[in-house]
Amino acid sequence: MSVSDPGDRPRSASGGRVAVLGGGLIGRSWTALFLAAGKSVAVHDPDPATEARVKETVEAAWPVLTALGLARTEAAEAELVVCDDPRAAVEGAEFVQESIPERIALKHELYRIIEPALGADTVVASSASGLTLGELQGGWRRPTRFVLGHPFNPPHLIPLVEVMGNERTGPGVVERARRFYESVGKVTIEVRREVPGHVANRLQAALWREAIHLVNEGVATVRDIDTAVSSGPGLRWAVMGPTELFHLGGDDGGLATFCARYGDSFNRWWDDLGRPRLDEATVARLVEGLSSAGDPDGIRGLAARRDSLLTAVVAATHGHPAASASASRRTEDDT
């Protein structure tokens, strides 16, 4: 369905309206999550196949959302519209999630178009991972209600959202964004200083850099290195972060004892870490390392297996993400 009149958009039972700008992989996943949370969702993307692709994603995601306790309503097409005009999508929205391709000129042009159509209290968040908040703000006359809201793929399944504002962000806007995300089942952190890649991307980039170095040096195969992570520290990281885990590694003495015992070892390892580049030869080596084991199900089959396993992990470690996030934030507020 395609509409141009914002009055045609549905009203959800909860009264919440959300706009999703961009109907790619991330935007479609966000849409499924917002619909499950009982929001009415208006999606804008110029691709004529957007409506069919969004509906396919929502249908595929619904069992996962139900299993995690995030599907608060029946999946209803009446709560979803696809708009030709981004201004029609954002009018009346309480929250706008922008997930268009990461080309700065394209994003700036979209912001220029939608800014006059936004409500006085509407918060706009960008899913951008490779662009910084400062770069994105260049597309706004007044970026006071614009924040970074970076998810992890797939957003309907992985709880984390990194939220960031700066000196140009209005008072309380970051907190409003965090509360909104938590209300739809997400777990948020605040990025307090601008760095390329934010927080979680930098952490996974550091690990991948060393994984690639080990492949290039012939220490282990791509498959064995992936197995070393998924069957080793990756299991622990699903439960706690690295610093807290090493705190437990110090026994009764905690982190101070751990550092005293293993500090020299870590310093030696850090000094020996590699600095590979994703050049043509390295990419070819990585691709060959994955394809050598074969994957009879292809990308979609692999993604389905990932989602099935992640559903079990998220259910076991987070329960209902919204409840976990709210409890965590209450603890922070009390300290």
Side-chain angles (χ1 to χ4, degrees):
M1 79 197 85
S2 179
V3 300
S4 58
D5 180 0
D8 291 340
R9 287 176 299 149
R11 299 176 180 269
S12 69
S14 64
R17 295 183 180 184
V18 178
V20 173
L21 304 179
L25 182 69
I26 302 300
R28 298 196 307 271
S29 182
W30 274 124
T31 299
L33 178 68
F34 294 149
L35 287 170
K39 306 293 184 181
S40 65
V41 183
V43 178
H44 165 72
D45 191 293
D47 185 350
T50 294
E51 183 178 347
R53 297 180 72 196
V54 168
K55 289 180 178 180
E56 180 182 4
T57 297
V58 171
E59 182 178 356
W62 212 260
V64 172
L65 293 163
T66 301
L68 291 175
L70 293 173
R72 306 174 195 172
T73 65
E74 294 292 331
E77 289 185 9
E79 298 297 334
L80 170 68
V81 293
V82 177
C83 300
D84 295 327
D85 188 337
R87 291 167 292 192
V90 304
E91 285 188 19
E94 61 172 310
F95 197 89
V96 177
Q97 187 73 41
E98 175 269 304
S99 304
I100 69 172
E102 296 214 5
R103 300 200 296 272
I104 193 67
L106 192 65
K107 288 183 182 287
H108 282 182
E109 175 63 14
L110 178 64
Y111 301 156
R112 183 192 65 77
I113 292 171
I114 67 169
E115 187 169 8
L118 294 170
D121 297 320
T122 304
V123 174
V124 181
S126 176
S127 300
S129 58
L131 299 171
T132 66
L133 178 62
E135 291 170 330
L136 295 167
Q137 287 174 323
W140 296 87
R141 289 189 301 106
R142 296 184 68 252
T144 53
R145 288 174 286 116
F146 175 71
V147 298
L148 179 79
H150 175 242
F152 255 56
N153 186 40
H156 71 272
L157 181 52
I158 302 294
L160 179 66
V161 183
E162 300 172 313
V163 183
M164 181 183 177
N166 59 17
E167 69 281 354
R168 300 184 70 189
T169 309
V173 174
V174 167
E175 181 62 22
R176 285 178 56 200
R178 295 184 72 178
R179 294 294 184 192
F180 170 81
Y181 284 129
E182 289 166 8
S183 75
V184 298
K186 307 301 283 181
V187 173
T188 66
I189 67 167
E190 182 177 355
V191 181
R192 296 172 180 258
R193 187 170 72 84
E194 187 169 283
V195 291
H198 323 316
V199 175
N201 268 340
R202 291 177 70 95
L203 293 172
Q204 67 176 5
L207 174 63
W208 198 36
R209 182 175 72 179
E210 185 57 19
I212 293 170
H213 173 66
L214 294 173
V215 171
N216 284 344
E217 292 297 305
V219 175
T221 66
V222 172
R223 291 286 182 173
D224 279 352
I225 291 169
D226 275 3
T227 298
V229 174
S230 63
S231 296
L235 292 175
R236 299 194 306 186
W237 295 332
V239 178
M240 295 178 184
T243 305
E244 194 167 26
L245 286 165
F246 288 146
H247 177 58
L248 295 177
D251 204 359
D252 291 341
L255 186 62
T257 296
F258 181 88
C259 291
R261 289 176 180 171
Y262 304 111
D264 289 344
S265 294
F266 273 90
N267 288 332
R268 180 184 181 188
W269 299 337
W270 286 332
D271 289 341
D272 192 52
L273 294 178
R275 299 184 63 85
R277 306 297 294 177
L278 284 174
D279 53 36
E280 186 175 340
T282 296
V283 172
R285 192 174 296 119
L286 295 173
V287 171
E288 173 60 25
L290 281 181
S291 62
S292 61
D295 180 14
D297 296 328
I299 292 292
R300 289 200 175 191
L302 187 63
R305 293 203 301 274
R306 175 203 63 188
D307 290 356
S308 177
L309 291 169
L310 280 176
T311 300
V313 171
V314 172
T317 57
H318 286 74
H320 191 309
S324 299
S326 298
S328 175
R329 295 293 297 286
R330 284 197 299 272
T331 299
E332 291 178 8
D333 294 342
D334 291 341
T335 56

